[in-house]
Amino acid sequence: MLDTIEGIHHITSMAKDAAGTDNFATRVLGLRRVKKTVNFDAPDVYHLYYANGIGQPGTVLTYFPFPNIVRGTRGAGEVGTTVFSVPEGSLDFWEKHLNAKAVSGLRRASRFDEERLYFDGADGDGFALVEVAEDARQPWTGAGVPAEHAIRGFHSASLTLNDSGGTSALLELMGFKNAMEEGNLRRMVRAGGNGADIIDLETDRMAGAARQGAGSVHHIAFAVPDSTAQLAVREALVKERFSVTPVIDRDYFLSIYFRAPGGVLFEIATDDPGFARDEDVEHLGEALKLPRQHAHLRPLLESQLPRIGE
């Protein structure tokens, strides 16, 4: 069992409209945009990062907004629901707030004796809020959501799978333990993690395969403190015969990627160097930051990328 994985680092989704996505993340969810950059492989498309005030691992929601993308189809082999942590007594506030913002899909339900509020994202993304006592992560309050109700970071992610056995075994290797089961749900928990340390596996043997598109989670990233820990994780995964990419420098963290047995794309990302490596903390997410290989495209990109946050 690996003991260096701390929990979720970030979750990255596909979107259609950059401005609408930015509005939803900042003005509806009340998150801070901590980085405005571009997709490494498609520099004419943004890569937008939203989190708490410092971009702490375990709080980071990111998007690739492709303007011509079709809507995704829900199914097996994907992260079906991204779940945020909010303080105790906050669900009533959020239900009123989301209703006032005309957010669709609002419903309350219970899972593992936790009441949660489900809702849809800008492209039909699956989200939920869960009340958590004494979550020490500091919220961002610059978007008008009061501190006593603001999102603290991720609580968990729920994976939809035709067969959860292989993914469960993988998560055990990654330091998660089977905590409880309820019907077709299995909860895996990383004890002593970073607060974003719960993965729920939902087995649906009849579900068709998910089709990626707007509203789909592209990948889920798990956090390790540094490159030494990441290389140890990579070595362990290779020994288990996972096909793992070489280390890739993503400017704000180092990444490796591999496909979990149920089809979900996993990433292992380092906590360092973080989002303040090229911007002061006071000004995170304000300027367009470009990877070195795309720096020569700045005049073109600044003229063609849609304006956001106005």
Side-chain angles (χ1 to χ4, degrees), residues 17 33 101 111 224 296:
D17 177 67
R33 188 176 67 235
K101 297 289 187 180
R111 174 180 289 197
V224 290
H296 66 288

Side-chain angles (χ1 to χ4, degrees), residues 200-249:
D200 287 343
L201 305 179
E202 183 172 356
T203 302
D204 184 347
R205 299 187 185 279
M206 302 303 293
R211 186 187 70 184
Q212 290 254 306
S216 302
V217 171
H218 183 269
H219 64 268
I220 179 171
F222 294 86
V224 290
D226 52 36
S227 61
T228 300
Q230 184 184 64
L231 289 173
V233 171
R234 187 182 189 280
E235 181 179 356
L237 290 169
V238 170
K239 283 183 178 179
E240 294 295 323
R241 299 189 177 182
F242 286 96
S243 180
V244 188
T245 68
V247 176
I248 302 171
D249 187 348

